[in-house]
Amino acid sequence: MTELTDKKLAYTKLAYICADGRNFYAAINDKGAIDLTPHFPDIPDLKTAIAQDKLPALLEKAENQAITHKDGNFQFNVPIHNGEKIICVGVNFPDRNAEYKDGIQAPDKMSLFIRFARSFSGHQQPIIRPKASDKLDYEGEMVVVIGKGGRHISAPNAPNHIAALSICNEGTLRDWVRHAKFNVTQGKNFDNSGALGPWLVPFTDIEQIENAEITTYVNGEMRQNDNTSRMIFPICEQIAYISTFTTLVAGDMIITGTPTGAGARFDPPIFLKPDDEIKVEISNIGVLRNIVADEK
């Protein structure tokens, strides 16, 4: 868990952005960004800052600095572009489980799959509907970023291993998750088919993960809404289970599960099309916004 000072900081968001042909990390507010890289020459990216437990130092340095890039003069990248693992948890809300209509009240073990970094776009960047399918769907989810790594982490100790939180639109090509008897990898990993960001918010309080509202809007219409308090497998249990079989390291991301309401569950299904706007909002983190575009 990130240790911040008792002082209330004006800056609570850290992003990895691009301006003038250069990628760098910055503190973000509603007026713009403060490039922090000149102040930390030994920290090339946010993954390194997390590994060194320097997120508080970055935010405190921003307190006395002037905006270097006004809002609109930079682009958002995925906050952590070079993490080792992105692990996703499936079917993790009661109403989402009920969609399967298999008579099982709740699974006793969590479903997991892997995504690749290049399958995500940054905030306000296009989500790409590929040539191979027109069945692109949305899934709003909370992202947990690991700080202190480890194996066999207990659920009560899991909060000490969380560095930050972010937001994901875990875009899925529905027909490509059914290409074989058990195959979700393809449908979850088309290039730029999902989004992640806009920034990292340091984890400081268990309420951030145990009582957070997740809401997804498509073209202004609310499609998903639920609270992390209703997760079948709470986030601390996710960390405990995953760390049983793999070593978690700084910068790993766990995408923790989506509520009911994805487009595939409508009758008939409502899949995303070019120019659709998807917004995923999570309380105390922010809003991730993207527009759909077709693959060129």
Side-chain angles (χ1 to χ4, degrees):
M1 184 183 301
T2 301
E3 295 293 336
L4 292 173
T5 64
D6 292 335
K7 174 183 174 184
K8 184 172 176 60
L9 300 177
Y11 291 90
T12 59
K13 299 174 287 192
L14 292 163
Y16 188 59
I17 64 176
C18 179
D20 305 318
R22 185 173 69 92
N23 296 311
F24 54 95
Y25 56 87
I28 305 293
N29 70 7
D30 57 359
K31 295 181 180 178
I34 297 175
D35 181 3
L36 295 173
T37 56
H39 306 286
F40 299 91
D42 296 330
I43 300 179
D45 50 45
L46 290 175
K47 176 186 172 183
T48 304
I50 289 168
Q52 296 181 11
D53 195 21
K54 290 292 181 65
L55 296 188
L58 266 58
L59 291 170
E60 288 174 6
K61 175 59 70 173
E63 291 295 292
N64 300 314
Q65 308 301 321
I67 294 289
T68 59
H69 296 78
K70 292 182 179 180
D71 192 31
N73 291 338
F74 59 88
Q75 294 181 328
F76 286 92
N77 296 315
V78 171
I80 299 176
H81 65 287
N82 55 348
E84 181 181 286
K85 296 184 286 295
I86 303 173
I87 301 173
C88 306
V89 180
V91 195
N92 197 29
F93 283 88
D95 295 342
R96 178 79 176 89
N97 179 65
E99 292 173 348
Y100 283 79
K101 299 179 180 178
D102 55 7
I104 298 174
Q105 289 297 314
D108 60 354
K109 296 290 189 297
M110 62 189 74
S111 299
L112 301 176
F113 55 91
I114 302 298
R115 283 196 73 136
F116 311 138
R118 69 172 59 244
S119 71
F120 292 112
S121 297
H123 174 58
Q124 295 179 340
Q125 303 305 309
I127 288 177
I128 303 302
R129 186 176 72 167
K131 296 176 181 179
S133 174
D134 62 357
K135 294 177 175 57
L136 176 63
D137 209 349
Y138 54 87
E139 295 187 4
E141 309 191 33
M142 177 181 282
V143 180
V144 168
V145 183
I146 296 298
K148 179 184 175 183
R151 278 286 305 278
H152 302 293
I153 300 166
S154 69
N157 193 38
N160 295 319
H161 292 261
I162 302 173
L165 306 175
S166 193
I167 304 173
C168 177
N169 177 0
E170 214 260 295
T172 302
L173 280 304
R174 293 297 179 193
D175 50 342
W176 277 73
V177 297
R178 294 291 179 266
H179 266 195
K181 189 171 184 178
F182 180 76
N183 266 10
V184 300
T185 301
Q186 306 96 308
K188 297 287 188 175
N189 279 289
F190 276 83
D191 286 1
N192 301 107
S193 57
L196 206 156
W199 41 61
L200 303 181
V201 172
F203 175 66
T204 58
D205 190 323
I206 195 71
E207 281 286 301
Q208 290 173 282
I209 59 172
E210 291 189 344
N211 185 25
E213 200 84 4
I214 302 174
T215 309
T216 304
Y217 301 89
V218 179
N219 299 325
E221 176 189 4
M222 188 174 74
R223 296 281 184 85
Q224 296 181 293
N225 179 251
D226 215 323
N227 192 287
T228 56
S229 63
R230 287 178 15 92
M231 284 182 167
I232 298 171
F233 301 103
I235 287 169
C236 291
E237 291 184 20
Q238 295 178 28
I239 293 171
Y241 181 77
I242 292 167
S243 69
T244 303
F245 66 85
T246 188
T247 299
L248 291 172
V249 299
D252 282 351
M253 289 180 278
I254 301 174
I255 299 174
T256 58
T258 195
T260 190
R265 301 303 171 179
F266 285 81
D267 186 15
I270 306 175
F271 294 114
L272 297 171
K273 60 186 185 301
D275 298 323
D276 279 351
E277 178 193 64
I278 309 98
K279 293 195 296 184
V280 182
E281 182 174 3
I282 301 182
S283 51
N284 299 315
I285 300 178
V287 177
L288 173 66
R289 175 187 177 275
N290 301 88
I291 301 291
V292 177
D294 269 338
E295 180 181 7
K296 293 182 180 179

